[in-house]
């Protein structure tokens, strides 16, 4: 992983357009934010941050693809999401948001026990690059400071948090589907993503074995072939000359 203090003007303009779209307005003191932004390059296989680290940074994925994994029962790493271009990436539990730590440490939330990583300001995920990846990174303290000074920055952080919550709700609904339904959904809604990841990473994401994924993929290919054959037969019915002799008998 390498860090570059010199961020291109194009990258910063693109980031500004993105963040002001979230905020719905121009963001004051942009120069302060920009001067604290760093360009990070991560090679395929490199770890961006790991479970248990204190990592109070927010990333904006410019190019590339990563996988985020967490420990499940049996201390097995399971892939839970794939940060890609356009994503805002951060270890929410390690940002050190004082309000979250205060509520969780006092047991004021019904899931305070599961939030102990946030109390310690430690990350719950390991993020690894699948492809060579370029990100813009800024310390959360910079955004937090700007949010206390300007309503526009506070609006930005609120919107990003709500976007995160919205995607989690969508993921919760998606996880109630069967592995095969989730696989079919991915093929339909994110075909490019499926082509960029390995079968092992996809199986981990679906929480099934490689063998189970192979069986599902075979069924899906079979269904697709059946549909294609059916469409061809429908087309041939309009043109008897193109139909096989056996079909005309």
């Amino acid at each position: 992983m390498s860090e570059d203090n010199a961020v291109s003007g194009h990258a910063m303009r693109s980031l500004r357009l993105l963040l002001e779209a979230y905020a719905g307005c121009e963001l004051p003191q942009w120069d302060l934010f920009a001067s604290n932004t760093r360009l990070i390059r991560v090679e395929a296989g490199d770890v961006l941050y790991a479970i248990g680290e204190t990592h109070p940074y927010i990333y904006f994925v410019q190019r590339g693809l990563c996988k985020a994994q967490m420990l499940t029962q049996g201390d097995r790493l399971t892939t839970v999401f794939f940060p890609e271009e356009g994503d805002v990436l951060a270890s929410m539990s390690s940002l050190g948001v004082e309000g979250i730590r205060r509520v969780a440490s006092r047991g004021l939330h019904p899931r305070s026990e599961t939030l102990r990583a946030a109390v310690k300001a430690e990350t719950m995920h390991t993020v690894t690059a699948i492809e060579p990846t370029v990100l813009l990174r800024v310390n959360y303290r910079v955004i937090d400071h700007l949010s206390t000074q300007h309503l526009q920055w506070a609006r930005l952080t609120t919107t990003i948090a709500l976007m995160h919550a919205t995607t989690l709700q969508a993921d919760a609904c998606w996880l109630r589907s069967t592995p095969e339904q989730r696989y079919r959904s991915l093929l339909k809604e994110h075909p490019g993503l499926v082509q960029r990841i390995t079968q092992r990473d996809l199986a981990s994401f679906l929480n099934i074995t490689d063998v189970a994924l192979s069986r599902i993929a075979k069924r899906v290919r079979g269904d697709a072939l059946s549909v294609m054959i059916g469409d061809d037969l429908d087309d041939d019915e309009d043109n008897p000359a193109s139909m096989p002799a056996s079909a005309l008998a």
Side-chain angles (χ1 to χ4, degrees):
M1 182 172 67
S2 63
E3 178 179 329
D4 190 348
N5 291 338
V7 182
S8 71
H10 174 72
M12 288 306 302
R13 285 192 296 272
S14 298
L15 179 57
R16 187 169 190 173
L17 286 173
L18 173 66
L19 297 187
E20 290 186 345
Y22 272 112
C25 58
E26 292 187 3
L27 293 169
Q29 285 194 274
W30 179 260
D31 289 346
L32 174 62
F33 175 84
S35 65
N36 284 279
T37 301
R38 303 290 181 264
L39 182 72
I40 305 296
R41 301 180 188 276
V42 188
E43 296 302 320
D46 286 352
V47 174
L48 185 62
Y49 56 82
I51 294 170
E53 291 183 358
T54 297
H55 200 83
Y57 298 101
I58 293 182
Y59 294 88
F60 307 94
V61 185
Q62 302 293 294
R63 184 173 68 250
L65 179 68
C66 299
K67 61 181 177 182
Q69 298 175 293
M70 66 185 306
L71 288 173
T72 57
Q73 289 183 350
D75 291 336
R76 183 172 66 92
L77 278 176
T78 300
T79 303
V80 289
F81 61 94
F82 297 97
E84 55 186 320
E85 295 92 345
D87 270 335
V88 180
L89 171 65
S91 171
M92 305 298 287
S93 57
S94 67
L95 292 181
V97 179
E98 187 57 35
I100 295 176
R101 296 174 63 183
R102 184 167 53 249
V103 170
S105 64
R106 296 177 182 176
L108 299 176
H109 190 277
R111 298 182 185 176
S112 292
E113 180 58 27
T114 62
L115 299 176
R116 57 186 178 274
V119 175
K120 297 179 181 178
E122 295 177 349
T123 180
M124 299 171 63
H125 299 97
T126 292
V127 176
T128 308
I130 294 177
E131 304 171 353
T133 302
V134 178
L135 314 97
L136 296 180
R137 185 183 77 183
V138 65
N139 195 300
Y140 174 72
R141 289 195 297 267
V142 175
I143 297 179
D144 190 42
H145 168 74
L146 288 167
S147 297
T148 63
Q149 303 297 313
H150 303 284
L151 176 62
Q152 297 92 327
W153 283 95
R155 186 181 299 163
L156 166 69
T157 56
T158 299
T159 305
I160 290 178
L162 288 173
M163 175 66 81
H164 179 65
T166 301
T167 57
L168 286 180
Q169 288 183 337
D171 288 346
C173 293
W174 184 74
L175 287 170
R176 290 183 178 275
S177 304
T178 66
E180 183 166 334
Q181 289 171 332
R182 298 201 301 272
Y183 178 71
R184 290 177 182 272
S185 175
L186 281 174
L187 288 178
K188 180 180 179 181
E189 299 173 8
H190 303 288
L193 175 62
V194 175
Q195 294 173 3
R196 295 167 71 182
I197 60 180
T198 66
Q199 178 171 316
R200 175 163 296 179
D201 283 333
L202 181 55
S204 176
F205 182 55
L206 296 173
N207 199 27
I208 56 177
T209 65
D210 292 358
V211 174
L213 177 58
S214 295
R215 291 171 179 165
I216 290 173
K218 184 177 180 180
R219 282 198 298 271
V220 172
R221 287 195 299 270
D223 291 348
L225 181 61
S226 297
V227 171
M228 291 175 62
I229 294 174
D231 289 343
D232 288 343
L233 290 176
D234 289 342
D235 292 341
D236 290 341
E237 288 177 359
D238 295 332
N239 183 10
S242 66
M243 297 176 66
S246 58
L248 295 172

